[in-house]
Amino acid sequence: MFSLRKCGLTVAARMQPANLHFPNIRNYAARKLNVPLSGMAMARSGGIASMMRLPIASSADGLDACFVGVPIDTGVSNRPGTRFGPREIRTQSVLVRECNIATGAAPYQSLMVADVGDVWVNLYNLPDTCRSIKENFAKIIKNGCVPIAAGGDHTITYPILQAVAAKYGPVGLVHVDAHGDCSDTMLGEKHGSPFRRAVDEGLLDTKRVVQIGLRGSGYSVNDFKFQLDNGFQIVPAEECWHKSLTPLMHEVRQQMGDRPVYISFDIDALDPAFAPGTGTPEIGGLTSIQGLEVVRGCAGMNIVGADLVEVSPPYDTTG
């Protein structure tokens, strides 16, 4: 019979609060922290569908980290629907319990976390939406709160990075995606280009940028030239096939060092067999296990913000 003791860890040892590296971690011993509403207290089909069943806060004041929705699909290049992503992510998050038994992470024992709702967006004016995102995230991170954003299409990462870089300077980036999102223009508009705009404005420490899972057809065989010319590390999906990504993430942690890092995870990085609910699916993607390896491999980095984008509920009828 399998025993935790055979792994060299007792249950008690594994369930200690995670040693998370947040820049402005506060003394949590004296605070009463928010915890998710337990399924023992209310059935998971009941209650308000906040992220992880956490309390809803009117601002990020006093929070170490927060969940925030950005419900737009104005910048989608193929199938729309990501404006409904934050709502559905919240709905599905009710199943997530307080502790990760596999890793021993127990974040709610050491961090004050809440759901701060959605950023105001203008679905008829993308530049105005970007302005609103930038201003709202500047307020969220003002006192060191780490925002975890639910999109929304990948446009949202650009104004978030504007706010983050204004506080922390150029940041490292772990970008998990099927697409590089570094086009200059499309149909004459600066579209599909959040990370090109971020480079243009000096928001990224380009020697600490890694893009994982890129794949699919392109407009030319030199589609990655911009990234490579600017020092990005590119990890195509083909280099991830049939292997664990844990060794890769060890290299990425060394690359990022102890300086600020932003994580942007596009759900289409996963193969559509695992995550069909997205607007631009590409076959040959990462498995759900590899996705977990990437996320877990970011533990210990100086994370100042993160997002999950391109979740498009209409294309995943299973929820």
Side-chain angles (χ1 to χ4, degrees), residues 18-25 111 146 258 298-304:
N19 181 24
L20 300 175
H21 293 251
F22 286 98
N24 274 7
I25 190 72
L111 299 172
V146 176
D258 60 1
C298 293
M301 295 181 189
N302 182 6
I303 300 166
V304 295

Side-chain angles (χ1 to χ4, degrees), residues 164-184:
V164 168
K167 179 175 177 62
Y168 297 103
V171 295
L173 175 70
V174 178
H175 174 205
V176 193
D177 202 330
H179 312 100
D181 290 356
C182 286
S183 301
D184 189 10

Side-chain angles (χ1 to χ4, degrees), residues 178-200:
H179 312 100
D181 290 356
C182 286
S183 301
D184 189 10
T185 62
M186 293 186 70
L187 301 177
E189 302 292 336
K190 291 187 180 299
H191 170 81
S193 56
F195 301 109
R196 191 175 190 116
R197 304 284 83 84
V199 171
D200 291 344

Side-chain angles (χ1 to χ4, degrees), residues 37-50:
L37 179 64
S38 171
M40 301 293 186
M42 176 179 284
R44 297 194 182 277
S45 56
I48 297 172
S50 64

Side-chain angles (χ1 to χ4, degrees), residues 181-238:
D181 290 356
C182 286
S183 301
D184 189 10
T185 62
M186 293 186 70
L187 301 177
E189 302 292 336
K190 291 187 180 299
H191 170 81
S193 56
F195 301 109
R196 191 175 190 116
R197 304 284 83 84
V199 171
D200 291 344
E201 296 183 20
L203 310 179
L204 296 176
D205 178 356
T206 56
K207 303 304 181 186
R208 293 193 304 124
V209 174
V210 58
Q211 295 185 310
I212 302 171
L214 305 191
R215 63 189 188 277
S217 54
Y219 292 101
S220 82
V221 294
N222 296 315
D223 264 14
F224 299 154
K225 185 177 186 303
F226 174 82
Q227 295 100 300
L228 296 174
D229 286 348
N230 281 279
F232 288 22
Q233 179 186 356
I234 303 295
V235 185
E238 289 86 349

Side-chain angles (χ1 to χ4, degrees), residues 110-124:
S110 58
L111 299 172
M112 178 64 88
V113 190
D115 186 332
V116 297
D118 288 350
V119 170
W120 181 90
V121 297
N122 183 345
L123 295 178
Y124 312 109

